Every structure is written in structure tokens, then in C-alpha cells.
Amino acid sequence: MVAKRIIPCLDVKEGRTVKGVNFVGLRDVGDAVELGQHYARSGADELVYLDISATREGRATFTKLVERISDGINIPFTVGGGISTLEDAARLLDAGADKISVNSAAIADPGLIDRIASRYGSQFLVLAIDARQGADGIWRATTHGGSRPSNKELFAWAREGQERGAGEILFTSMNHDGTKQGYPCDTFAALAEQLSIPIIASGGAGSVEDIAAVLTRGRADAALAASIFHFGEISIPELKAQLKQRNICIR
Amino acid sequence: MIAIIDYKMGNLRSVENALRRLGAEFCVTADPDVITRSSHVILPGVGSADEAMANLHAAGLPPVIRGLRRPVLGICLGMQVLCRDSEEGGFTPCLGLFDAHVRRFTPTPELKVPHMGWNRLGNMESKLLRGLERGASVYFVHSYFAHTCPDTIATTEHGQLFSAALKYENFYGTQFHPEKSGAVGEQILKNFLAL
């Protein structure tokens, strides 16, 4: 049985990781390669690097960084942030990324999913969806880090993404992101019911219990988290040991 | 010198990086002479079997690969094209070194396709897998699989048992990506280079 994946997410700005605490033995937590290697050694199953640079120079720096990550990391990694053209995808593939994630640009131009998937394969493409549940109970995808609503309903958009060729869905609930109150497990389970591709759960993890719940009741295939790892609230070996104790299939 | 066969099927960078991390000397080539003279040959590949076979034929490589007598390692799609045939792209005759057919996983609500992530190796029996712990995990990304057969040297379960690795004479294949499988993958690549 394929193991449930634990994926730390690292934000990168102008070529440096942000939000990292000092881990023992790490010279420079701002160094994306060194921090990634630390997580890989700790048992992370994959890594996600998100470019939050707003500038063209920042993007160029990020591509150079992706080359260094590819040289230095022996587990799969996904890169995302600002990918809006086939050329962006090609540039990151050449730099050594195993997968890329697209978000806002795919909502503006859904054909981007088809173009990237048909050129480089579904295994290369993660569709990230930041959705917010409105007062009417409907989940709608948002863009630009959750700041702008779109007309895409979560379930329909996820199915459309799968049909267009996305290989995985990375779903973040903007109602839960940053709250550390746990994931909307029923929504994740409903999404799993409708999709045949893997689902990565993001946003809301505050405890081992939250992650266990989304991987079991929520039927997610992977859990992505940032702050609980970066701030050392829980280490990956400790998290994995506790998930194993709950009979969850973990590497 | 190790030859990584470049037949325009996906990015070779991660295989190159893995060999570099092991301190191995390699070249990326489609030149039959270079491939034939190499001590070890790696056939990587990401994409579809029909396109992969078309590219191999276009480069005149099928007889070159079949004729190799040094250790050869097919990775992921590279393993699949060493099988008898694949149902990807209708029906694609492949190189016919491993006695297995390649079929697609059928998704169900409990079975995600592609099979993506870390899964365990079972029934390991080969020098290629020497030194691995029982139930060692490796990284897979694929929608098509080779069934188990007498050439199988490791199995993995995804809905059913399939061939995680195959061997026929000097030809080896892994459905998983050793270059992305952490320390376990590094051990497998070291084992291959020691063959």
C-alpha cells in the first residue's frame, strides 16, 4: 500500500527560505538546500518550494535555486509560485523540478493545465486550489493567495483540473489556513469521493491529531504543512512515529 | 564510464545529479558506439511508451540496446520499454527483454491512479537490491505497470502485486525512481554500479 506522504512547504523569497527557525546542526536555515536536506534526512516524503518573490529578479534567482535544490536533494520536490506559462514550466523542468504547481494562472487560463500536462505529463503537474466556504455553504476557489474570489466552485474545478490532466490536487481551505484548528475533513472526503488522482491537504494543521484526521477521515493522500515544522512545534520523525501508532501507513 | 541514454523522453537531470552525488563518471548520449563501449548503461524515461519506442526506433537504438552485454538499468518508463509490450498508446511492441506485458491500473475509489508516492518492496531477490532492509520504501510515479513474472526481482502492491523491479541476464529495470528514493535509492544505484 502506498504510504501517506508528509510534505514540508518552504516559502522562498529572493532566493532565501523565510520563516525558518534554527534547527540544531543547521548552519543557515535561510538556505533552501540546507533546510530541504535537513527535512529529507528527517523523513520528509517530498518537499514543496513556493516562490513568494514579487519581482522578476526574484523569479530568476528562484530558477537558479531550483537547480541547486535538484543537485542537492534526493527526494522529489515540487515548485510553485507565479507559474503562468508553458515557458515557466519548461524553465523549471530544465532546472530539475520534479513537479510544478499552478494556481491563480490556471483559473485565469484553464487551458494552461492541458498544455503543461500534454507536454510534460500529468505526473509533473499539481493543481493548487485555495478555496473559501461562503456563508451560502459553497466552496469557491480564490486567487492571489486567497485575496480574490473566482467563479470556480471547488468540486467542479477539481474535477475539471483532473480531466484537463492535473496529476494531483493540493487543496487549501482559506477558512482554516493559519488557524491551527484542523482541516475540514468532510470536505476533503467529499473531494476524494469525486477524484481518482491523489489529494494533498494543506492549511490548518495544528497538531498530530489534525494530520491523522485528514489522512484517515478526510481520505487525503498527503499532508502539507509549513509552520508546525519550521517552528519546531513537531519534528517529522515524531509526527511519523505518532501516525504509525495510529496504524496509518507511513514510510 | 556510465552512459545515460538520451532519447528525448523527459528530463535526465535528476539521474545525472544522483550519479554525481555518488561520484560516478557518466555521459549523456544517444551514440550507439559510446553506449556499446560503456561499462554501465542507464535508460531513464518519463512520458508514454508509444512515444518512447518511436524515439528509440528513430535513433536506431533498439538493436543496440538488445545487443548490450554490460549491466543495463531501465528506470520507470525505461523499465517498461524493456518489457514485451505495453497497452499504452493502443498496443506498443517494446524491446522484449523482460517477459512481461505493461497494463494500466484501473482507478477505483480506493485506488488512486497514478500510483504516486513511497511504497514498500517485497520478495526482493537480486544483487541489485542487496543491503536493503525488508520492506524498504522507494518512490513511484506511474499509471502503467508490469505484472509479476519469472523475471520479477521485487514486488510492490497497489491494488494488486506488480513488478517493482525486473531482471533478465544483464538487464535490470526498476518501476520506481532510485534517483528520488533517498538513501534506499542511493544504495540501489551503488549496487548497480558495482555489478
Side-chain angles (χ1 to χ4, degrees):
Chain A
M1 202 165 117
V2 65
K4 302 283 188 182
R5 288 169 281 156
I6 301 300
I7 308 175
C9 179
L10 295 82
D11 287 349
V12 175
K13 194 170 186 183
E14 316 299 334
R16 304 268 301 162
T17 41
V18 296
K19 284 205 297 198
V21 286
N22 264 308
F23 288 106
V24 178
L26 226 54
R27 276 178 297 131
D28 180 4
V29 287
D31 186 285
V33 180
E34 213 179 322
L35 189 56
Q37 284 170 336
H38 164 79
Y39 282 131
R41 280 195 303 270
S42 309
D45 296 304
E46 288 182 30
L47 300 172
V48 169
Y49 286 92
L50 209 53
D51 182 20
I52 57 169
S53 312
T55 63
R56 186 183 296 268
E57 294 73 30
R59 297 253 182 273
T61 311
F62 186 66
T63 306
K64 288 272 175 236
L65 178 65
V66 171
E67 291 177 3
R68 284 185 50 228
I69 295 166
S70 172
D71 292 345
I73 303 258
N74 61 10
I75 60 170
F77 70 97
T78 303
V79 299
I83 297 166
S84 58
T85 64
L86 193 59
E87 290 67 39
D88 291 335
R91 180 169 47 80
L92 293 164
L93 177 90
D94 288 341
D98 296 294
K99 311 179 196 179
I100 57 168
S101 74
V102 294
N103 191 334
S104 300
I107 290 181
D109 171 19
L112 179 66
I113 300 171
D114 306 65
R115 293 198 296 281
I116 295 174
S118 65
R119 183 71 170 272
Y120 301 115
S122 293
Q123 84 294 332
F124 183 60
L125 186 61
V126 179
L127 175 61
I129 306 178
D130 297 335
R132 178 174 280 118
Q133 189 175 31
D136 55 2
I138 294 176
W139 288 90
R140 287 185 189 82
T142 62
T143 65
H144 302 84
S147 61
R148 297 186 206 169
S150 80
N151 58 3
K152 299 278 191 193
E153 189 272 328
L154 165 67
F155 295 96
W157 177 226
R159 285 196 308 270
E160 182 182 341
Q162 173 177 300
E163 277 157 31
R164 288 180 180 274
E168 286 175 284
I169 300 289
L170 166 58
F171 165 42
T172 306
S173 160
M174 300 314 285
N175 303 70
H176 297 75
D177 195 33
T179 65
K180 300 201 172 181
Q181 299 288 307
Y183 303 86
C185 287
D186 294 341
T187 309
F188 273 99
L191 201 55
E193 191 64 39
Q194 298 194 21
L195 298 177
S196 63
I197 56 177
I199 298 168
I200 305 165
S202 158
S207 67
V208 174
E209 211 47 66
D210 294 338
I211 293 176
V214 81
L215 295 176
T216 52
R217 203 153 56 77
R219 295 174 54 188
D221 300 281
L224 175 142
S227 53
I228 63 162
F229 298 137
H230 301 329
F231 296 120
E233 290 167 27
I234 184 158
S235 72
I236 291 174
E238 192 183 325
L239 168 65
K240 287 186 131 184
Q242 292 198 35
L243 293 174
K244 272 183 197 163
Q245 276 176 11
R246 288 167 169 81
N247 289 321
I248 297 171
C249 180
I250 290 289
R251 174 171 71 107
Chain B
M1 176 70 88
I2 302 152
I4 301 175
I5 300 184
D6 180 11
Y7 60 121
K8 310 298 170 206
M9 292 305 292
N11 196 307
L12 309 177
R13 190 171 182 124
S14 53
V15 174
E16 292 174 49
N17 284 336
L19 293 180
R20 202 173 288 126
R21 284 194 293 268
L22 292 175
E25 272 187 54
F26 61 88
C27 63
V28 175
T29 182
D31 182 334
D33 290 338
V34 175
I35 293 168
T36 306
R37 284 201 313 267
S38 297
S39 66
H40 295 77
V41 176
I42 296 181
L43 184 67
V46 169
S48 64
D50 44 331
E51 198 186 345
M53 283 309 300
N55 288 7
L56 287 173
H57 283 296
L61 290 174
V64 176
I65 295 170
R66 282 196 195 100
L68 292 170
R69 291 293 168 262
R70 300 278 176 76
V72 178
L73 177 64
I75 297 175
C76 196
L77 181 62
M79 180 211 84
Q80 295 184 358
V81 298
L82 293 174
C83 293
R84 187 175 288 272
D85 49 56
S86 170
E87 68 174 28
E88 192 171 14
F91 175 84
T92 302
C94 296
L95 296 171
L97 291 150
F98 304 136
D99 193 14
H101 305 279
V102 176
R103 295 194 298 261
R104 195 172 201 283
F105 287 115
T106 308
T108 67
E110 299 310 318
L111 194 74
K112 299 292 177 82
V113 178
H115 172 225
M116 181 183 288
W118 297 80
N119 208 333
R120 287 161 175 260
L121 295 175
N123 304 307
M124 291 188 276
E125 42 174 319
S126 167
K127 283 181 186 169
L128 184 70
L129 307 167
R130 194 156 50 185
L132 302 192
E133 284 177 26
R134 262 175 74 112
S137 288
V138 288
Y139 191 82
F140 292 86
V141 186
H142 60 124
S143 298
Y144 291 78
F145 69 96
H147 60 82
T148 57
C149 66
D151 296 335
T152 302
I153 53 168
T155 59
T156 292
E157 192 254 316
H158 185 61
Q160 63 186 99
L161 275 188
F162 68 89
S163 289
L166 290 156
K167 174 189 186 293
Y168 170 72
E169 294 183 347
N170 54 314
F171 292 89
Y172 295 80
T174 62
Q175 180 60 69
F176 55 88
H177 288 271
E179 76 281 14
K180 284 287 161 187
S181 295
V184 170
E186 277 169 11
Q187 181 63 48
I188 293 169
L189 289 173
K190 272 188 210 161
N191 291 344
F192 173 67
L193 298 182
L195 288 171

